[in-house]
Amino acid sequence: MSKYQDHVRRSLEGQNAEPSDELGTDAMRWTPDPVNADVTAEALRTAADAAHMLLERAADAYVSLVNGVLGDGTHHMVASASTPHGALIEVQELTVAGDDLAINEAVSVRLCAVIAAAMTKHGTGGLVIRTFAPDGSESVRGWRIRGLWLRPLTAQEIQQAYTVNHVTGAQLEAEPGVEYRQAERVPRPNQARTSGASASTAPQNNRPPSRRN
């Protein structure tokens, strides 16, 4: 396992507990170590370029969601991905109050890594957000990760996800006082990517921004 792969695995499993162990996206951009002599440098470059593109796209989606969709309140975000190598999950809590945003950037990077994993060719995943609004209301909404972006779930789809046992199919009681909401469309970046060149609106180092550092 390369140093890059090991750091991602440890981060997603919560083993990088000390700030000194947390690496920014740029610091994680190592080319994976060759697993055998048949792996060419070109193949490694292609794989690394694809991974970087997915991380940038995931960061774009995350930034657009935080800046353009969430709204005021405390938000519990759960990103999940199912891949041929196993399941990944990352949880984040953040609070928005007007232009102020309280956020843990290291967790944001890990959450973006899970979104990127779901964007891979054989990956699937989703993002669910439970919001506690300033007026005391509580709501849940969700997005599928599909087509390299976040696709809104309807109120009925998110309610079914919470009120149906997916193993037995049995109906579960809805949580009292919780509104299952239609998710909003997540706006795409204004800059279009063209072949041969990538224009990204993701922040420098691909770190989701904090409106209050």
Side-chain angles (χ1 to χ4, degrees), residues 4-86:
Y4 170 82
Q5 291 170 317
D6 183 58
H7 173 75
V8 172
R9 178 186 62 77
R10 290 171 60 206
S11 292
L12 292 173
E13 292 176 356
Q15 296 177 31
N16 285 331
E18 297 296 327
S20 60
D21 289 335
E22 294 292 354
L23 303 180
T25 304
D26 277 350
M28 292 165 60
R29 286 185 171 182
W30 295 295
T31 301
D33 299 328
V35 293
N36 58 59
D38 295 330
V39 178
T40 65
E42 182 179 358
L44 289 173
R45 283 194 300 270
T46 299
D49 288 345
H52 297 161
M53 183 277 289
L54 289 174
L55 283 169
E56 289 173 356
R57 182 61 63 89
D60 281 343
Y62 179 91
V63 169
S64 293
L65 180 76
V66 171
N67 289 339
V69 173
L70 287 190
D72 287 357
T74 297
H75 308 278
H76 294 267
M77 307 173 65
V78 180
S80 60
S82 177
T83 77
H85 305 290

Side-chain angles (χ1 to χ4, degrees), residues 101-122:
L101 173 65
I103 193 170
N104 183 317
E105 292 190 357
V107 177
S108 297
V109 171
R110 295 200 297 271
L111 191 138
C112 285
V114 175
I115 294 174
M119 289 179 172
T120 59
K121 182 177 181 180
H122 300 292

Side-chain angles (χ1 to χ4, degrees), residues 42-204:
E42 182 179 358
L44 289 173
R45 283 194 300 270
T46 299
D49 288 345
H52 297 161
M53 183 277 289
L54 289 174
L55 283 169
E56 289 173 356
R57 182 61 63 89
D60 281 343
Y62 179 91
V63 169
S64 293
L65 180 76
V66 171
N67 289 339
V69 173
L70 287 190
D72 287 357
T74 297
H75 308 278
H76 294 267
M77 307 173 65
V78 180
S80 60
S82 177
T83 77
H85 305 290
L88 302 172
I89 190 168
E90 184 63 44
V91 179
Q92 180 177 37
E93 178 179 309
L94 53 87
T95 299
V96 179
D99 291 332
D100 291 334
L101 173 65
I103 193 170
N104 183 317
E105 292 190 357
V107 177
S108 297
V109 171
R110 295 200 297 271
L111 191 138
C112 285
V114 175
I115 294 174
M119 289 179 172
T120 59
K121 182 177 181 180
H122 300 292
T124 61
L127 179 68
V128 173
I129 298 179
R130 182 183 292 264
T131 297
F132 299 88
D135 63 5
S137 62
E138 182 179 346
S139 62
V140 178
R141 52 195 154 155
W143 292 260
R144 288 191 186 90
I145 301 171
R146 178 180 293 173
L148 299 179
W149 204 246
L150 302 176
R151 306 291 182 177
L153 293 176
T154 66
Q156 182 179 4
E157 287 173 324
I158 192 66
Q159 181 174 8
Q160 183 176 20
Y162 271 78
T163 58
V164 174
N165 185 312
H166 296 284
V167 176
T168 65
Q171 192 73 26
L172 304 174
E173 290 187 13
E175 296 179 74
V178 176
E179 177 189 5
Y180 300 99
R181 289 174 48 192
Q182 162 75 45
E184 299 85 348
R185 184 182 65 84
V186 178
R188 289 180 179 270
N190 292 328
Q191 291 179 285
R193 289 182 171 81
T194 57
S195 62
S198 175
S200 173
T201 59
Q204 186 177 12

